[in-house]
Amino acid sequence: MPLYEHVYLARQDASAQQVEELTAQLKGVVEGLGGTITKTEYWSVRSLSYRLRKNRKAHYTLMNIDAPPPAINEIERLERLNEDVLRYLTIRVEELEEGPSAMMRRAERDRDRDDRRGDRGDRFDRGDRFDRGDRGDRPRERRPRDDADETAPTEE
């Protein structure tokens, strides 16, 4: 059977549980039509590059599918009918990627980097490096406006 990578985006308003239920429903359809889903990854809520149907963020989910083409046609049909699904993309691949996808490896790498950083704190917190002192004690001089005399109405 052909191998596919399938990613769909669900509305931000949908809960993570609703997204998992949709994934389970799609998995049932694929298995009912003689295929299998070898891997499912939920990539969390992420920002979209541009607004889709008034949504700025979406739930991302990846599925690796080993199924006949009619099964793929059916899950795409179901996603077109579902109002929670903003977009989907199915790509036929020669072989499925083993282990975590690039998105999951990136998340792991970011967590490892944060762990290595330790107690150094936020990278934008520079402490007293650019301390210029308290400016509140300086007297504030008000300059007279040059055009104040010219614009004031005169009484004659």
Side-chain angles (χ1 to χ4, degrees):
M1 280 188 278
L3 304 172
Y4 300 94
E5 286 186 358
H6 180 80
V7 177
Y8 71 90
L9 310 180
R11 288 183 318 123
Q12 177 185 0
D13 298 344
S15 68
Q17 182 180 3
Q18 289 173 317
V19 174
E20 289 175 17
E21 290 172 3
L22 177 60
T23 303
Q25 177 188 1
L26 296 175
K27 185 175 183 177
V29 169
V30 169
E31 290 173 350
L33 294 172
T36 58
I37 294 185
T38 59
K39 177 172 69 171
T40 302
E41 288 182 357
Y42 174 68
W43 291 344
S44 76
V45 177
R46 299 183 162 275
S47 295
L48 298 170
S49 298
Y50 53 90
R51 290 177 62 173
L52 291 174
R53 296 190 218 157
K54 300 183 181 179
N55 291 285
R56 294 187 182 277
K57 293 185 177 188
H59 294 271
Y60 284 65
T61 304
L62 166 77
M63 296 186 293
N64 284 351
I65 303 173
D66 182 7
I72 301 300
N73 291 338
E74 180 63 17
I75 65 169
E76 288 182 351
R77 185 185 75 80
L78 291 173
E79 288 174 336
R80 274 194 301 274
L81 295 174
N82 193 328
E83 293 178 1
D84 289 337
V85 177
L86 299 174
R87 288 278 194 276
Y88 60 87
L89 177 68
T90 306
I91 299 174
R92 186 173 177 181
V93 294
E94 294 299 318
E95 63 183 68
L96 294 173
E97 185 177 345
E98 295 297 322
S101 66
M103 293 295 285
M104 296 304 281
R105 287 192 305 261
R106 179 177 152 208
E108 260 178 46
R109 187 183 68 230
D110 291 346
R111 273 194 305 272
D112 291 344
R113 186 188 66 224
D114 291 344
D115 290 343
R116 282 192 313 268
R117 188 173 287 156
D119 291 334
R120 285 190 278 172
D122 190 20
R123 64 180 169 173
F124 298 111
D125 182 21
R126 303 284 190 221
D128 294 333
R129 184 173 169 189
F130 296 111
D131 188 17
R132 294 185 180 136
D134 186 17
R135 293 184 165 191
D137 59 352
R138 286 193 225 162
R140 194 167 171 173
E141 297 178 22
R142 294 205 179 255
R143 293 183 296 172
R145 291 178 47 177
D146 294 333
D147 59 345
D149 296 330
E150 297 171 2
T151 59
T154 57
E155 294 182 23
E156 293 184 21

